[in-house]
Amino acid sequence: MKDGSGHNNEDYSHTKFNNYACACVVAASIISAIFGYSTGVMAGALLYIKEELRISDLQVQLLAGILNACALPGSLLAGRISDIIGRRNTIILSSIIFLLGSILMGYGPNYSALMAGRCTAGIGAGFALMIAPVYSAEISSPSYRGFLTALPDVSINLGLLLGYVSNYFFGRLPLQIGWRTMLFVPAFPSLALAILMLKLVESPRWLVMQGRIGDAREVLMRVSNTKQEAEQRLQEIKTAAGIDPRSTQDIVQVPKRSRSGGGALRELLCNPSPPVRRILIAATGVHLFQQIIGIEAIFMYTPRIFERTGITDKSVLLLATVGMGISDAVFVLISTFLLDRVGRRILLLVSSGGVAVSLLGLGACMRIVEHSDDKVSWAISFTIVFTYIYVAFTAIGLGPVTWVYSSEIFPLRLRAQGLGVGVTVNRFTNVVVVTSFISIYQKITMAGIFFMYTAITALAWCFYYSFLPETKGRSLEDMESIFGKTNDINNNNQVKHVINGYNNA
């Protein structure tokens, strides 16, 4: 049916922004902000912890990296648990775990208590990194899925920025109070989120997996713009779940194994079909390269990096770190508006290209600083500038696109545990990078480690170009067929179609 302007109202309904779906995703993204804060705040807190507790560099590395080490089992557990208790309840559980970790770290009478609290928060981080993107992807419609699924990553980066700001302001408090306050702050949003999530809807795709078709229909009516759109999305989800789309029952019987996600890991890792194998390689590849370029090590050790250039005042170091957080938050926000316009693959290529160039510049500046007997002011300034540019290029692509892409490509039956595998690769790589950063740069210099990251980023660009198909605007239920089309691996025809479209217009 067309309106007076000649537009099809039914088609238009699919492109309208649904406010309730956005509200659900924003609420779920709070858990990502808590994780981001916990990561960012430790960068500055370590300066004060080391001063008060007099811990070694090895202990500093362990305290920095233990959060992500504990996120490894957390992310794997979260996939299976979310298949059993639901996406919403898994977010609530993650909030409670973060609450306990924050209380332990805020108490922090000694190094052992800090490690225990950081480990607890790490398990919560594993849950948060897996569940927020899955919930967001499963609530969203295809036309705005890129924007909404990027919101958890936006929240991580806003959390990082708040952590840096917290360092700057709470660092002015007495030594024994300041860093403990920094680490205790996440307890408040964790408690608030656990209460808020009780009021929000469950993922309609999880409800269908449980055979609760009537409940899924009610949720889809709220997160869709018309009844027809809701019914269309429901039919697609039922088909993907192996349920007869013509069935009109509100409750259907599904195998217990399907309800709890049993056998998903076995199918993924032991006997995948060719499309699923390619999906798994794509998901683990984007997570591997996101971390192995060194982004979280740079976030964690920014004060130390700037200190190597000759900046020694703690307030100046932390203020420079805040500037990096602002760059990160601004560009990841820009990315959310580009994801559904430009596409995932193009953003990854632009981002990795820019990261490689900025890392090369960063390495060159650090080499000049490290091999000069005098203070080279321009090299110090350019080190800070290249760091900000590096963060900006990461934030516009490699950061958010990794989470959007990996959360949308797995089939419904494998999505939660498949993303759990991706997050496990992400966190394992992160642990290796963060816990080895100081040891490596002490062996090959700070410039050397940035040159090493440059080479790795070049490999990442080749992987994105040769292996990843575009998923922009496609239904979650279409992904298996997209990855089954081996002749579209390079997606070069897409560029021709875009050019021809402009010429015809």
Side-chain angles (χ1 to χ4, degrees):
M1 187 176 77
K2 296 184 180 180
D3 59 20
S5 62
H7 292 96
N8 190 305
N9 289 331
E10 293 173 356
D11 290 341
Y12 177 65
S13 71
H14 289 265
T15 62
K16 287 170 62 180
F17 194 75
N18 186 279
N19 292 328
Y20 185 77
C22 183
C24 290
V25 173
V26 168
S29 298
I30 294 172
I31 195 68
S32 301
I34 295 169
F35 163 69
Y37 178 92
S38 299
T39 301
V41 78
M42 189 55 78
L46 284 172
L47 296 174
Y48 302 102
I49 292 169
K50 184 174 183 181
E51 182 180 344
E52 182 184 338
L53 302 183
R54 301 188 182 281
I55 57 178
S56 66
D57 275 348
L58 177 60
Q59 288 175 305
V60 168
Q61 288 185 111
L62 289 174
L63 187 58
I66 197 67
L67 180 130
N68 293 302
C70 293
L72 291 171
S75 56
L76 280 177
L77 273 173
R80 186 60 186 272
I81 288 172
S82 73
D83 280 341
I84 297 171
I85 68 174
R87 317 312 195 206
R88 181 183 63 176
N89 289 334
T90 305
I91 293 173
I92 293 171
L93 179 58
S94 179
S95 302
I96 294 170
I97 295 171
F98 265 123
L99 174 63
L100 295 175
S102 300
I103 292 171
L104 273 171
M105 287 189 289
Y107 172 57
N110 52 47
Y111 183 75
S112 298
L114 268 179
M115 287 290 283
R118 190 77 169 158
C119 284
T120 304
I123 295 171
F127 275 69
L129 285 166
M130 192 288 300
I131 196 59
V134 167
Y135 181 82
S136 303
E138 294 188 346
I139 284 286
S140 310
S141 64
S143 54
Y144 280 98
R145 190 176 62 245
F147 174 81
L148 292 178
T149 311
L151 290 182
D153 193 68
V154 173
S155 297
I156 289 175
N157 290 280
L158 289 175
L160 281 166
L161 176 58
L162 289 173
Y164 297 146
V165 172
S166 173
N167 288 155
Y168 183 71
F169 286 104
F170 290 134
R172 298 170 181 270
L173 295 175
L175 179 62
Q176 293 183 336
I177 298 173
W179 64 265
R180 289 180 173 86
T181 305
M182 297 174 195
L183 301 180
F184 182 73
V185 165
F188 298 107
S190 298
L191 181 60
L193 177 61
I195 297 169
L196 176 62
M197 286 305 298
L198 294 172
K199 304 290 185 182
L200 299 180
V201 297
E202 180 54 87
S203 158
R205 287 172 169 84
W206 182 80
L207 291 169
V208 170
M209 284 173 62
Q210 308 306 303
R212 295 163 56 182
I213 309 301
D215 292 339
R217 181 181 286 108
E218 289 182 15
V219 172
L220 286 167
M221 289 294 291
R222 300 186 72 177
V223 299
S224 302
N225 294 309
T226 66
K227 182 177 180 180
Q228 181 181 3
E229 180 190 346
E231 287 295 335
Q232 180 183 334
R233 290 174 69 181
L234 181 61
Q235 299 310 311
E236 292 173 351
I237 297 168
K238 286 165 68 176
T239 301
I243 298 171
D244 185 354
R246 296 168 296 180
S247 171
T248 58
Q249 294 177 300
D250 284 345
I251 297 178
V252 300
Q253 291 296 318
V254 296
K256 183 178 179 181
R257 190 180 182 83
S258 298
R259 292 202 307 269
S260 63
L265 280 179
R266 187 177 296 109
E267 180 181 349
L268 274 169
L269 302 177
C270 300
N271 192 31
S273 64
V276 169
R277 184 183 299 111
R278 187 176 167 208
I279 287 170
L280 182 64
I281 294 171
T284 54
V286 294
H287 278 286
L288 173 72
F289 282 119
Q290 185 201 45
Q291 290 300 324
I292 207 168
I293 64 166
I295 182 61
E296 203 152 333
I298 289 177
F299 276 132
M300 185 66 66
Y301 297 114
T302 301
R304 186 179 286 251
I305 293 169
F306 290 162
E307 196 173 36
R308 293 279 293 181
T309 67
I311 303 172
T312 55
D313 186 274
K314 284 183 181 177
S315 294
V316 175
L317 286 172
L318 294 177
L319 195 58
T321 304
V322 170
M324 188 180 72
I326 292 171
S327 172
D328 184 47
V330 168
F331 281 90
V332 80
L333 191 59
I334 292 171
S335 176
T336 62
F337 294 99
L338 296 176
L339 272 160
D340 290 315
R341 296 173 182 269
V342 175
R344 286 61 156 154
R345 184 170 176 270
I346 295 296
L347 282 180
L348 283 172
L349 292 172
V350 170
S351 174
S352 54
V355 165
V357 172
S358 55
L359 279 169
L360 193 61
L362 193 53
C365 289
M366 286 303 301
R367 184 169 180 81
I368 291 169
V369 168
E370 289 178 325
H371 287 76
S372 176
D373 295 330
D374 300 320
K375 199 170 184 177
V376 187
S377 298
W378 68 267
I380 295 172
S381 300
F382 272 100
T383 298
I384 296 172
V385 169
F386 275 120
T387 302
Y388 288 0
I389 294 172
Y390 164 77
V391 168
F393 271 110
T394 303
I396 208 164
L398 287 166
V401 178
T402 294
W403 297 102
V404 172
Y405 198 84
S406 60
S407 65
E408 68 186 1
I409 60 178
F410 284 101
L412 174 60
R413 67 189 183 280
L414 307 174
R415 184 169 300 129
Q417 295 184 59
L419 183 57
V421 172
V423 173
T424 300
V425 170
N426 186 295
R427 294 298 92 186
F428 176 78
T429 310
N430 180 283
V431 170
V432 172
V433 170
V434 170
T435 57
S436 63
F437 182 83
I438 294 175
S439 301
I440 291 175
Y441 90 69
Q442 288 176 343
K443 292 287 186 184
I444 66 172
T445 74
M446 191 73 79
I449 201 168
F450 290 137
F451 289 140
M452 181 183 76
Y453 289 151
T454 303
I456 293 170
T457 307
L459 290 176
W461 191 95
C462 295
F463 174 77
Y464 301 143
Y465 180 79
S466 63
F467 198 79
L468 301 186
E470 183 55 73
T471 57
K472 179 187 73 168
R474 301 298 294 269
S475 160
L476 292 180
E477 286 65 44
D478 287 342
M479 296 301 169
E480 206 165 351
S481 64
I482 293 171
F483 278 83
K485 297 176 181 177
T486 55
N487 60 324
D488 286 338
I489 287 178
N490 289 335
N491 289 283
N492 293 328
N493 289 335
Q494 289 186 354
V495 178
K496 295 178 182 177
H497 290 324
V498 171
I499 295 171
N500 290 336
Y502 278 114
N503 291 336
N504 292 334

